[in-house]
Amino acid sequence: MTSTTSGTPSTPIDQTPEWAALAAHHAAIGNRHLRELFASDPTRAQAFTAEGAGLFLDYSKHRITRETLPLLLALARAAGVEERRAAMFRGDRINVTENRSVLHTALRLPPGEHLVVEGTDVVPGVNAVLDKMAAFADRVRSGAWAGHTGLRIRNVVNIGIGGSDLGPAMATEALRHYSERSMRFRFVSNVDGADMREALIDLEPAETLFIVSSKTFTTLETLTNARTARDWLVTGLDGATEAVAKHFVAVSTNAEQVRAFGIDTANMFEFWDWVGGRYSMDAAIGLSLMVAIGPDDFREVLAGFRAMDAHFQTAPLDQNLPVLMALLGIWYGNFLGFDTHAVLPYSQELARFPAYLQQLDMESNGKSVRLDGSRVTYATGPIVWGTAGTNGQHAYYQLLHQGTRIVPADLIGFVNPTTEIGDHHDLLVANLLAQAEAFAFGKTRDEVVASGVVPQQVDARVFEGNRPTSVLLAPRLTPRVLGALVALYEHKVFVQGVIWDIDSFDQWGVELGKVLATRIAAELTSPAEPVANAHDSSTAALIARFRAGRVRES
Ligand code: F6P
């Protein structure tokens, strides 16, 4: 095991025999083409599949042979993936730099289960909050929780950013089919006032509930937006400041700051410091989602998370979906040098899933130091990106098919649509399958010539292929399947973080910009000229230009 949480220097993973074996294997199999790999292994399509928690993974169209996976699994074992997995589920303080447990998996433990961490069983607290959320969601949905004037709540606006926005926003869109259609759900995150303006433009204050979601309750964007929303509400209700109690609730770990903002802590839904922001959509941060889809379907989401947790904990590593997906990412990022990863859901409902994954993956694994503080000597987290298929096909797939960079991709699809509309779904899935086939096998020069293309176009019409993809399929996008899908990626990110020996659960890289922004905000607005030499010459000049051009409406 290479990792340590004690600060004791450990063997970097790229200096282990397992890493060397993979490097040698890469040199040996070189850039063998998927055409050849399929031709030489007739049962490849059956062999390179795995299933768990309702999700089916076809990873046959990857640039691997039968020898690759055992070598990758040996690397995972050398890195201590199984031990670290047990440590996470047990509640050990594996978030080393923040000295915290990492227990988002406890959020999906049902009543009756027990998880005692440092002397406290965390399960009753988790379920007490869930029950409080459910009671509240039911009251809002039924109209029993009315606004200040007695009108029922028809609009829910979640104010949060990062992990306090992306998860519930993604999931509310993904599960729109299951949501209460008589209500509107909006998500405001950006400190750009246009975000709030557009969210509120057609809403009635008397019918609007704000859920202010912030783990710390100190985040500049969220508190600025929450204050603006409060002003909008009070102004819209003829100055009735007491209306805030009926129109604002909070989700946070910080009761003191919630109280300071003016929200009654009786209307606060808590979670705990052992839930990372980007791992919190199944904590109280999911309140807006629960109001949208109702407590029963929210519990279905949790059941999906739990099913994937169980799969991750118990499936043999060579059939373990998060482990397999993590190892394929390691293969590409560390041995083939492919540094981006596309996630392409063939589902409009999952349109926000890639954005959600960007935070989950890049905030977790965009790190350069190992647990013992030494600098890594290998690539860590990839650049994650993507949009809903088929839209991407008419935008950037040109580069994916014929560009000079190779972008491994996950294509996510569903056998059945949430709603049957004409032949849309079959066309959608046909596109997914066609793209995976085209990425892998391309179109050879001979095929292009044989198709009668004029000679001057032949080169431009060749598709090299050998572009790797995973295809993930589920029967239908249900709340349970969504939970399993999110947990799949959570655990994939975890496994990669273990192999890279980094802390996937801190996010110090977001701090510097926050500090500088606070300082610069004062310099942009102060009547006094900024202090000379407070910044580099470029930043100072931009501040001066902004100050000179800024026209303030009084
Ligand atoms: O700035 C990054 C971050 O800390 C994320 O990790 C987090 O999800 C987001 O900000 C929002 O933080 P909070 O929930 O405390 O407002």
Side-chain angles (χ1 to χ4, degrees), residues 21-34 36-37 44 62-69 71-72 331-332 335-336 466:
L22 277 158
H25 175 63
H26 174 238
I29 70 163
N31 289 328
R32 282 182 69 184
H33 200 288
L34 281 162
E36 184 198 334
L37 295 174
R44 182 182 172 92
H62 280 286
R63 289 163 64 160
I64 56 173
T65 66
R66 299 246 180 187
E67 287 79 50
T68 317
L69 193 54
L71 294 171
L72 286 166
W331 177 236
Y332 293 124
F335 296 94
L336 281 86
N466 217 15

Side-chain angles (χ1 to χ4, degrees), residues 156-194:
V156 174
V157 180
N158 187 84
I159 301 176
I161 196 163
S164 299
D165 166 74
L166 289 163
M170 174 278 290
T172 301
E173 183 158 333
L175 300 178
R176 192 173 287 241
H177 176 67
Y178 301 86
S179 71
E180 176 52 57
R181 297 298 198 161
S182 65
M183 298 179 73
R184 285 183 286 200
F185 295 88
R186 301 218 169 129
F187 293 82
V188 176
S189 54
N190 201 323
V191 75
D192 183 342

Side-chain angles (χ1 to χ4, degrees), residues 19 47 54 81 95 105 107 115 154 171 173 177-178 233 256 260 310 327 393 401 466 469 494 530 532:
W19 185 283
V81 164
N95 177 353
T105 50
L107 298 168
L115 179 65
R154 299 203 176 278
E173 183 158 333
H177 176 67
Y178 301 86
L233 179 93
E256 204 179 307
L327 292 176
Q393 291 173 206
H401 282 291
N466 217 15
T469 57
F494 170 79

Side-chain angles (χ1 to χ4, degrees), residues 27-162:
I29 70 163
N31 289 328
R32 282 182 69 184
H33 200 288
L34 281 162
R35 283 186 214 119
E36 184 198 334
L37 295 174
F38 269 84
S40 63
D41 185 349
T43 58
R44 182 182 172 92
Q46 290 71 41
F48 289 176
T49 61
E51 246 173 300
L55 304 181
F56 173 81
L57 171 69
D58 174 356
Y59 63 98
S60 62
K61 296 192 191 75
H62 280 286
R63 289 163 64 160
I64 56 173
T65 66
R66 299 246 180 187
E67 287 79 50
T68 317
L69 193 54
L71 294 171
L72 286 166
L73 290 168
L75 186 78
R77 292 198 177 91
V81 164
E82 290 151 302
E83 293 85 343
R84 298 274 294 168
R85 178 183 63 189
M88 175 174 75
F89 278 93
R90 206 167 47 221
D92 290 8
R93 296 187 179 215
I94 63 165
N95 177 353
V96 179
T97 71
E98 295 181 317
N99 191 25
R100 287 178 183 161
S101 302
V102 174
L103 271 179
H104 46 277
T105 50
L107 298 168
R108 31 267 197 175
L109 291 177
E113 297 234 1
H114 302 282
L115 179 65
V116 178
V117 179
E118 297 173 7
T120 306
D121 185 354
V122 299
V123 182
V126 164
N127 282 285
V129 173
L130 270 175
D131 290 344
K132 181 174 170 181
M133 290 165 63
F136 175 74
D138 278 339
R139 291 185 68 200
V140 173
R141 286 161 64 88
S142 70
W145 175 288
H148 172 67
T149 66
L151 287 178
R152 68 185 295 163
I153 298 296
R154 299 203 176 278
N155 317 307
V156 174
V157 180
N158 187 84
I159 301 176
I161 196 163

Side-chain angles (χ1 to χ4, degrees), residues 202-480:
D202 54 351
L203 303 189
E204 278 299 323
E207 299 179 337
T208 301
L209 173 75
F210 292 95
I211 300 179
V212 186
S213 297
S214 175
K215 180 176 172 182
T216 56
F217 231 77
T218 58
T219 304
L220 171 94
E221 292 89 338
T222 299
L223 291 188
T224 305
N225 279 325
R227 279 191 287 272
T228 299
R230 188 174 54 190
D231 290 349
W232 174 85
L233 179 93
V234 171
T235 306
L237 294 177
D238 302 325
T241 48
E242 67 278 18
V244 170
K246 285 285 179 193
H247 293 266
F248 275 77
V249 299
V251 179
S252 189
T253 59
N254 191 340
E256 204 179 307
Q257 289 297 328
V258 168
R259 208 174 296 117
F261 180 83
I263 296 176
D264 185 348
T265 48
N267 297 329
M268 168 181 148
F269 300 83
E270 71 165 328
F271 61 116
W272 305 272
D273 71 356
W274 39 260
V275 184
R278 52 194 176 275
Y279 297 87
S280 65
M281 63 164 274
D282 49 340
I285 290 293
L287 183 61
S288 45
L289 172 66
M290 190 193 268
V291 177
I293 63 174
D296 290 346
D297 274 340
F298 191 87
R299 288 186 197 278
E300 277 290 294
V301 176
L302 296 183
F305 272 100
R306 202 159 61 241
M308 184 55 73
D309 292 345
H311 170 82
F312 178 48
Q313 285 179 287
T314 59
L317 294 193
D318 63 353
Q319 292 159 43
N320 196 306
L321 298 183
V323 172
L324 291 169
M325 288 174 61
L327 292 176
L328 289 165
I330 299 274
W331 177 236
Y332 293 124
N334 294 117
F335 296 94
L336 281 86
F338 306 155
D339 56 6
T340 88
H341 183 88
V343 178
L344 309 168
Y346 277 71
S347 158
Q348 187 58 31
E349 289 150 320
L350 284 181
R352 301 213 54 188
F353 193 57
Y356 170 77
L357 286 185
Q358 283 181 320
Q359 188 199 13
L360 178 66
D361 199 321
M362 294 165 79
E363 197 167 83
S364 296
N365 284 344
K367 310 284 165 65
S368 319
V369 293
R370 298 167 58 235
L371 292 178
D372 65 10
S374 60
R375 197 178 164 83
V376 297
T377 43
Y378 39 81
T380 59
I383 298 160
V384 177
W385 61 282
T387 53
T390 60
N391 298 1
Q393 291 173 206
H394 297 272
Y396 51 79
Y397 274 40
Q398 166 64 41
L399 182 149
L400 299 188
H401 282 291
Q402 290 188 315
T404 53
R405 297 164 204 279
I406 303 284
V407 182
D410 298 345
L411 277 60
I412 304 172
F414 301 95
V415 176
N416 297 287
T418 42
T419 315
E420 200 71 68
I421 302 174
D423 57 358
H424 286 246
H425 191 68
D426 299 313
L427 289 173
L428 177 68
V429 176
N431 272 279
L432 182 163
L433 299 176
Q435 291 298 329
E437 188 173 20
F439 282 135
F441 303 107
K443 190 168 183 181
T444 63
R445 164 170 287 277
D446 289 349
E447 288 166 346
V448 175
V449 171
S451 69
V453 164
V454 291
Q456 61 271 33
Q457 285 186 0
V458 168
D459 290 329
R461 287 181 173 237
V462 170
F463 288 66
E464 270 174 22
N466 217 15
R467 267 92 170 137
T469 57
S470 290
V471 173
L472 264 174
L473 283 180
R476 191 187 302 273
L477 180 55
T478 60
R480 189 179 283 245

